[in-house]
Every structure is written in C-alpha cells, then in structure tokens.
Amino acid sequence: MASTGSVSIFAEGTFEEQIQELVNFLVRNHSDEERTSFIRPFSEALKTEEGKKSLSEDDDRKREIFSHLVPEVKTLGEGTEKEIEGFFNLLFSHLISLYPATSAEASPLLPPLIQTIASAPVTQSGLKYRILTNLFNLLPRMSSLRLDVYNALLAIAAAQGELSVLQLSRTDVEKWIAEWDVTPEKKSQFLKAIVDAFVQADNLTAAYEFVQLYARSLPSSSPEAREAAAQAISLALRLPTVFDFDPLFKLDAVVAAKDHELFPLLQIFLSGGLPEYRSWASSNAGAVEKYGLSPADLEHKIRLLTLASLGFKHVGQNLPYSTIAEALDVDAADVEKWVIDVIRAGLVLGKLSQTTKTLHIVRATARSFEREQWEALEKRLVAWKTGLVGVMEVIVNARRQGGAVPVQAQAAAA
C-alpha cells in the first residue's frame, strides 16, 4: 500500500485552537442551539483555572479532553473530501502525539473510530481508503493497531471488489507481520482474511501465494494447518500456471497432512505420470468434486508435466513423435499441439521437425530435483567437459602445426 501525503485544512496553532477547530467541524451544519450545547463542555474543559498547570504542560488533561472528543466522531462529517481528510489527519496527529507508543489507553479509542470510517457510505470509498491509509502510515511500525486499520481496509476492498486498490504484495505482508506486536494467532487470522478475500474475488493466483504464508504461520499439527494444506494443494492443482509443486513439500503443514486424500495426488503431480493419475482419479472421484477440481484440467496438466519429465531425460537429443504420443497416450497427429502447449507453459524449449517427426530438446524443467535429477545433470556436465577437452586439444594441435583451426572446432568452442 503506497504512502499518501497528509492533507490538512487546519492552520497550525495551540492545542486549544486545534481542538476547537475539530469540535467546530463536527457541528458545522447543526443548528445554533445544537452547536452551542455541543461546544460548551469542550470550551469549559479547555480553560485553565488560575493557579493550575497550563494545558500545554498537562498531557493528562489533554488526553482526557481528547478521549471525550473521539467518541463524538460518528460519521465522516460534512464538507469537501479535502476538508474531511484534513479533519481526520488532525485527529490522528493528536492521537499519535498524545499516545506516542499507542499504549493501552489509545486502544479503546481507535477501533470505534476505524469502524465509523469503514461504515461510511459506499459512495465515499475513495475517501475511506485515503483516510485509513493515512492512519496506517502514521502509526508506529510495531503498533498492534496497524492490524486493526488494515483489516478495515481489507474488508472495504473485498466488499467492493476492489482488492487491486490495495496493491497488496507478499513482501509487504511478510514485513508487516514480522513488525507488528501482535500474537501469532492474530497474524494467522490476518493471513487467512487475505486468502479468503482473494478467493472471494476469484483471484486464485494471489490466494495460492498467501495460503502458503498462512499455512506456514500455523502449528503444523493443528486442524487449521490441515485445512490450509488442503487448500494450498487444491489451488496449486487448479491453477493452470502452477507446475512447480516442490515448494509445497517444504511446508510443514503439507508434510503433516500426508494422510490427507489429496496428498497422494500432490505426489503424483510432483513426480508421477499419466497412469498414476488415472489410477488415483478412478478411485477418488469424490475428492475431485469436493475440492472443485476439474478432471479434464488435471489430465491436461499431468500430460504437460509428463512431457516435461520426458524432455528433461533427453536434453540435447531428438525425441520421436511416437515416443511422445505413447507417453502422453495421444494420437501421433496431436503431438505437435501438446509440444506447443508445453513450450508455452515454459516447461520445455525445443524445435519441432515435421520432416523427421522429432522434437529436439534444448532445455527442459525438472519437476523436482532429487538423486535422479542430480545424476542426470552430472552426466551432462561430464559429457560437456569431455567435449570441451576434445575441442581444446584440436585447437592446441592446430596452432602447434601453424594451421587454421577447423571450422567444427570453432563452432564447438563457441
């Protein structure tokens, strides 16, 4: 959430003058009788009796006056947006100065104020965002009250279908929850609220990103962690752009849920193939429906992953169409369509040859990096090293004989 500059319509002055300005704003459009009745108690409280400590030196008196003023803010008020924003900026500045550490005394004052702002008419959404953002930015980074403010912002944006206005990023959220002086339970609740908001907005990509944070924030053996693990797995399987399932196995909540009905399916998408998927699907139709999964989409994704694995085993080689068709259980005539799809997904880089009916694999993504993948990588590096040694020998011999370097060696060296 971007910081916004404070806008104030109130001139600088003493505490008494600024409180009077705030009071006058609250009753600016009331009748004379109502205005007089409302203003009188504050005017009396702002006076300093002879022999008493001046108000400028009496913070306790300031806090008492301010604590009576805040509950009187029951709407955004009447005036231009600039005037209303200025009113709240001045109100917030007194809140911060009177309660510099946002102490327990300030905590009862702020939630009702936040609720007043959040419950303003929908037509004032833009103004509500600005006012609450100003407050969020004014509060100390460690303040637990920042959580209350952002929960209000999140609720407003979710209700209005305007989550994009918040420009919420994982980096910001991780930084905030590390700074806020709140319990782990409240941090988890905040993360869950973010996940739920993005699911409600049908932004499953963002929901998947934050559900991993949410799952990580929970005790791995808790029921909430098990539910979060299932949600993370189902979102990863549903999203057409997610092909890397290895990060999920680094979540304690997911590992602890190994007896969950979706866990075997996750293992298949990490390292299995089409036969394993079909076997699981045939006996788990209820789970597919329960978690909103699409059998057609799942089969499409496992075929792409199968082709990626096949490509990883044959980097630098030509794969016959017939081999690909057999692995994917498709007609040879459909192979090129599947190759184009896997290249678009960024899983394989290669070149099709309609003449030889082959796919030359330039690069392929490993679905997981375990012993088998490390061994394959080692073989390629050894072969590459051997090839370079041979090239260098040809170049050295050619130079010793004073001749030109063979074209083949130049190309290999390049």
Side-chain angles (χ1 to χ4, degrees):
M1 180 177 58
S3 298
T4 59
S6 294
V7 177
S8 177
I9 63 169
F10 300 99
E12 293 183 1
T14 64
F15 177 82
E16 294 94 323
E17 291 169 339
Q18 291 183 354
I19 292 298
Q20 196 66 56
E21 289 277 13
L22 292 171
V23 171
N24 289 338
F25 182 85
L26 290 175
V27 290
R28 64 187 306 183
N29 291 323
H30 291 203
S31 67
D32 289 342
E33 184 179 348
E34 289 173 329
R35 292 180 74 252
T36 301
S37 175
F38 185 87
I39 293 172
R40 184 182 299 114
F42 290 100
S43 297
E44 292 295 327
L46 290 170
K47 293 178 181 178
T48 301
E49 296 179 10
E50 188 176 350
K52 296 288 186 179
K53 187 189 297 185
S54 69
L55 190 56
S56 62
E57 300 173 341
D58 194 343
D59 286 345
D60 288 339
R61 235 177 99 207
K62 287 181 181 179
R63 279 190 281 269
E64 183 179 357
I65 295 169
F66 188 75
S67 68
H68 285 91
L69 173 64
V70 172
E72 298 298 336
V73 183
K74 297 172 182 176
T75 67
L76 291 190
E78 298 182 29
T80 66
E81 289 196 354
K82 184 176 180 180
E83 289 174 329
I84 294 171
E85 187 176 353
F87 167 82
F88 280 98
N89 285 340
L90 182 58
L91 195 70
F92 297 153
S93 71
H94 282 295
L95 179 76
I96 301 302
S97 64
L98 292 173
Y99 308 95
T102 56
S103 62
E105 294 176 81
S107 296
L109 296 176
L110 196 52
L113 190 58
I114 294 171
Q115 180 57 35
T116 295
I117 299 166
S119 60
V122 173
T123 53
Q124 296 177 300
S125 291
L127 180 58
K128 291 193 289 185
Y129 289 133
R130 292 199 303 276
I131 292 172
L132 289 173
T133 299
N134 289 343
L135 176 57
F136 184 89
N137 290 328
L138 278 170
L139 289 167
R141 289 185 305 166
M142 293 180 62
S143 173
S144 61
L145 298 174
R146 271 193 157 198
L147 174 59
D148 295 324
V149 177
Y150 208 89
N151 273 331
L153 278 165
L154 185 64
I156 295 170
Q160 295 299 115
E162 298 173 339
L163 285 175
S164 60
V165 171
L166 301 182
Q167 299 180 355
L168 195 59
S169 73
R170 179 169 176 167
T171 301
D172 283 339
V173 171
E174 287 181 311
K175 179 169 71 75
W176 293 338
I177 61 177
E179 292 172 344
W180 293 343
D181 184 20
V182 297
T183 64
E185 291 76 17
K186 286 189 175 181
K187 292 179 181 180
S188 294
Q189 291 167 8
F190 174 60
L191 291 170
K192 187 177 189 306
I194 294 174
V195 174
D196 292 345
F198 278 118
V199 170
Q200 179 184 329
D202 202 29
N203 187 342
L204 301 188
T205 300
Y208 176 60
E209 185 175 9
F210 284 103
V211 79
Q212 295 175 70
L213 280 183
Y214 172 52
R216 192 174 289 117
S217 74
L218 298 164
S220 60
S221 59
S222 66
E224 293 82 6
R226 184 178 178 84
E227 184 179 340
Q231 187 177 24
I233 294 171
S234 65
L235 285 172
L237 293 170
R238 289 170 63 187
L239 285 167
T241 56
V242 174
F243 295 98
D244 183 8
F245 296 91
D246 201 40
L248 291 181
F249 286 89
K250 294 179 172 60
L251 295 176
D252 292 341
V254 171
V255 175
K258 59 185 178 182
D259 61 337
H260 193 279
E261 56 192 332
L262 285 182
F263 192 83
L265 182 60
L266 178 63
Q267 289 181 306
I268 291 169
F269 275 78
L270 177 71
S271 57
L274 189 60
E276 292 88 347
Y277 164 71
R278 285 177 170 171
S279 175
W280 181 92
S282 65
S283 55
N284 290 276
V288 171
E289 182 177 356
K290 178 180 177 181
Y291 293 98
L293 304 174
S294 164
D297 291 344
L298 289 175
E299 189 156 311
H300 183 270
K301 181 178 279 194
I302 197 64
R303 279 194 169 106
L304 295 183
L305 290 168
T306 299
L307 183 49
S309 294
L310 189 63
F312 186 80
K313 294 176 181 177
H314 296 85
V315 172
Q317 303 175 29
N318 290 327
L319 264 177
Y321 281 15
S322 57
T323 302
I324 297 173
E326 182 181 357
L328 303 189
D329 190 23
V330 297
D331 293 336
D334 294 329
V335 165
E336 291 183 5
K337 177 183 77 69
W338 284 101
V339 170
I340 291 171
D341 282 353
V342 83
I343 291 174
R344 282 176 177 167
L347 297 173
V348 171
L349 179 62
K351 185 176 181 181
L352 286 165
S353 173
Q354 294 181 333
T355 304
T356 61
K357 298 294 181 182
T358 60
L359 168 65
H360 180 74
I361 305 295
V362 176
R363 176 182 59 76
T365 301
R367 291 160 66 181
S368 62
F369 233 87
E370 299 177 354
R371 185 180 181 87
E372 181 183 353
Q373 286 73 35
W374 281 112
E375 289 175 348
L377 179 59
E378 182 184 25
K379 288 179 181 178
R380 288 176 202 158
L381 289 174
V382 169
W384 182 60
K385 181 179 179 181
T386 302
L388 284 179
V389 170
V391 170
M392 292 303 297
E393 288 178 353
V394 171
I395 294 174
V396 169
N397 289 334
R399 286 177 175 169
R400 283 175 180 171
Q401 297 171 10
V405 178
V407 173
Q408 295 89 341
Q410 292 180 19

